[in-house]
């Protein structure tokens, strides 16, 4: 047996207002006149947050379109644009939700690794460290701030650049930055964290490391979405730590059925990660009975609508595409259902599940 020896984030700063320390944090990372590039979710165009980014010299803010999840073509185009314009850069700072943070990680790696980001989709294919990279979440739940992957949709698959060079060198966890998130978005992304916890805690890969973080993250999610009647300032603090702990939990275990199925939706239909997981979780009583019951309670209590009928009218070929993408996520299925998962989750059974969504 070989134990996972995983690379973690380099530095972490946490606290309300810690974003104001960014200038000081970046200072030692600046190289001659090579600029820092801030990849910022387009949601913040013209916002006070954008105005507080500590620009120096030739630094640039690039607002990134996160209407769809990051694509390898988008990563390659951004890296090329930066190389053409600046030659060398000092670093890439991702500010936003999971998509903006994943884009920052991927662009950092593609500043130093040749070819296309599609060449590195998989496990441990990245050969060179990227340029300095920092992640600053403005939505809590994805765990992208701590993960060793950056999930990208490529020409043939949706898969991360999973490597020891992928984690951020620095993360800035400032709960103040999440206060203006739209309620729906906040819920879907928060549920991504809740689902990480359920999938990790109910999975066959569980160990005490994952359990310790998973239980804490689950408790924080429950305080925010089950116990409280209203969102308050403290909810931002709690959910930010839930996201971090949930990410740490799956770092040493794995996600499960909701993620494996939602990857198929996202590949074919472009369904975003948080909402896609919610659409799937809504129908997973058979696998996570207690978690799904509580999930449905949170949906109702928080007045959220989960879309239904999204697979209506799809062709056999389209169902097959989703099934192929989903069944390709072998470690997720093995964690969820055990080593004989292929006998349990047949193509027919998965098709029936997709038809319900
Ligand atoms: Zn997730």
């Amino acid at each position: 047996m070989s134990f996972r020896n995983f690379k973690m984030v380099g530095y972490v700063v946490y606290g309300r207002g810690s974003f104001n320390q960014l200038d000081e944090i970046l200072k030692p990372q600046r190289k001659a006149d090579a600029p820092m590039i801030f990849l910022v979710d387009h949601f913040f165009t013209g916002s006070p947050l954008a105005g507080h980014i500590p620009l120096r010299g030739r630094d640039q803010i690039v607002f990134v379109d996160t209407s769809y999840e990051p694509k390898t073509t988008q990563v390659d185009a951004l890296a090329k644009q930066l190389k053409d314009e600046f030659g060398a850069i000092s670093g890439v700072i991702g500010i936003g939700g999971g998509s903006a943070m994943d884009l920052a990680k991927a662009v950092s790696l593609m500043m130093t690794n040749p070819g296309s980001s599609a060449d590195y989709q998989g496990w441990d294919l990245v050969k060179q460290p990227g340029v300095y990279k920092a992640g600053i979440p403005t939505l809590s739940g994805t765990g992208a701030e701590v993960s060793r992957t950056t999930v990208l949709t490529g020409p043939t698959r949706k898969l991360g650049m999973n490597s020891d060079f992928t984690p951020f060198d620095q993360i800035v966890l400032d709960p103040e930055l999440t206060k203006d998130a739209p309620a729906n978005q906040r819920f879907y992304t928060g549920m991504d964290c809740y689902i990480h916890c359920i999938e990790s805690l109910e999975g066959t890969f569980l160990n005490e490391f994952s359990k310790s973080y998973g239980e804490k993250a689950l408790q924080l999610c429950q305080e925010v979405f089950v116990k409280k009647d209203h969102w308050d300032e403290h909810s931002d603090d709690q959910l930010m730590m839930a996201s971090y702990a949930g990410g740490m939990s799956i770092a040493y275990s794995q996600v499960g059925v909701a993620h494996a199925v939602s990857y198929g939706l996202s590949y074919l239909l472009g369904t975003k990660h948080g909402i896609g997981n919610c659409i799937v979780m809504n129908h997973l009583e058979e696998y996570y009975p207690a978690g799904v019951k509580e999930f449905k309670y949170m949906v109702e209590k928080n007045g959220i609508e989960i879309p239904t009928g999204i697979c209506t009218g799809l062709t056999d070929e389209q169902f097959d595409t989703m099934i192929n993408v989903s069944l390709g996520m072998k470690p997720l299925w093995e964690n969820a259902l055990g080593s004989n998962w292929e006998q349990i989750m047949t193509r027919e059974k998965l098709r029936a599940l997709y038809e319900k969504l």
Side-chain angles (χ1 to χ4, degrees):
M1 173 155 189
S2 164
F3 296 94
R4 190 173 301 165
N5 184 12
F6 75 92
K7 173 78 173 63
M8 290 171 60
V9 164
Y11 287 84
V12 183
V13 58
Y14 172 82
R16 291 188 163 264
S18 56
F19 183 73
N20 299 327
Q21 244 164 274
L22 188 59
D23 192 29
E24 189 187 314
I25 289 169
L26 296 181
K27 204 170 165 195
Q29 308 299 336
R30 294 180 176 280
K31 294 192 182 79
D33 67 320
M36 283 289 175
I37 305 301
F38 298 86
L39 296 186
V40 182
D41 191 311
H42 63 165
F43 174 82
F44 292 105
T45 309
S47 70
L49 171 70
H52 283 121
I53 293 173
L55 299 176
R56 303 247 163 207
R58 295 193 300 152
D59 286 3
Q60 206 172 80
I61 297 178
V62 180
F63 289 102
V64 287
D65 188 350
T66 57
S67 318
Y68 300 97
E69 296 197 334
K71 293 186 173 69
T72 53
T73 48
Q74 188 184 12
V75 171
D76 295 349
L78 269 167
K80 182 177 185 303
Q81 179 195 325
L82 295 176
K83 283 183 207 164
D84 289 350
E85 190 171 349
F86 300 106
I89 62 172
S90 288
V92 184
I93 318 301
I95 304 178
S99 293
M101 287 190 281
D102 274 359
L103 264 178
K105 288 193 248 184
V107 169
S108 152
L109 294 172
M110 293 316 295
M111 294 306 289
T112 52
N113 285 278
S116 161
S117 49
D119 304 336
Y120 303 102
Q121 285 182 283
W123 278 267
D124 302 305
L125 302 173
V126 180
K127 294 289 180 289
Q128 304 286 337
V131 298
Y132 175 83
K133 53 188 171 319
I136 307 179
T138 61
L139 260 178
S140 292
T142 65
E145 63 277 22
V146 288
S147 78
R148 99 188 264 283
T149 191
T150 159
V151 183
L152 302 176
T153 303
T156 57
R157 58 204 155 165
K158 184 180 175 192
L159 191 60
M161 295 166 77
N162 203 314
S163 85
D164 279 351
F165 301 119
T166 310
F168 283 119
D169 297 297
Q170 169 84 55
I171 56 175
V172 177
L173 304 180
D174 183 346
E176 231 163 65
L177 303 182
T178 63
K179 71 177 190 323
D180 297 325
N184 267 3
Q185 192 59 60
R186 191 160 65 189
F187 183 83
Y188 297 140
T189 311
M191 285 302 109
D192 187 22
C193 177
Y194 179 83
I195 294 168
H196 291 160
C197 297
I198 300 297
E199 290 179 324
S200 174
L201 294 170
E202 301 290 320
T204 63
F205 294 178
L206 187 67
N207 55 39
E208 209 55 47
F209 184 103
S210 289
K211 197 174 162 198
S212 309
Y213 284 105
E215 285 178 346
K216 186 65 203 179
L218 183 66
Q219 180 213 326
L220 290 166
C221 288
Q222 288 166 333
E223 278 177 27
V224 170
F225 292 110
V226 178
K227 295 193 181 146
K228 287 189 205 184
D229 287 325
H230 299 285
W231 190 270
D232 58 26
E233 213 177 52
H234 192 42
S235 306
D236 287 309
D237 302 350
Q238 289 172 308
L239 204 55
M240 188 158 271
M241 284 321 297
S243 178
Y244 178 91
M248 289 297 289
S249 180
I250 53 177
Y252 223 119
S253 58
Q254 189 42 278
V255 288
V257 181
H259 277 73
V261 176
S262 108
Y263 273 118
L265 292 179
S266 143
Y267 185 81
L268 184 77
L269 305 172
T271 316
K272 293 198 80 178
H273 187 74
I275 191 168
N277 282 342
C278 288
I279 290 169
V280 180
M281 190 68 174
N282 220 6
H283 296 277
L284 295 185
E285 290 90 345
E286 188 181 337
Y287 307 96
Y288 307 116
V292 172
K293 191 172 172 217
E294 188 166 63
F295 168 77
K296 289 187 171 178
Y297 176 77
M298 292 185 286
V299 169
E300 210 193 314
K301 181 173 168 114
N302 291 274
I304 304 290
E305 202 81 42
I306 304 293
T308 55
I310 65 162
C311 292
T312 309
L314 294 183
T315 64
D316 285 343
E317 203 189 338
Q318 287 176 312
F319 276 110
D320 278 338
T321 300
M322 291 194 293
I323 292 167
N324 292 340
V325 169
S326 179
L327 292 180
M329 314 301 294
K330 292 182 178 23
L332 282 65
W333 289 111
E334 192 183 335
N335 176 47
L337 306 175
S339 52
N340 65 335
W341 65 270
E342 277 162 306
Q343 272 88 59
I344 302 168
M345 187 46 76
T346 59
R347 296 185 72 89
E348 294 68 38
K349 185 144 196 204
L350 186 51
R351 164 89 186 232
L353 177 54
Y354 274 121
E355 284 178 3
K356 282 202 267 180
L357 302 179

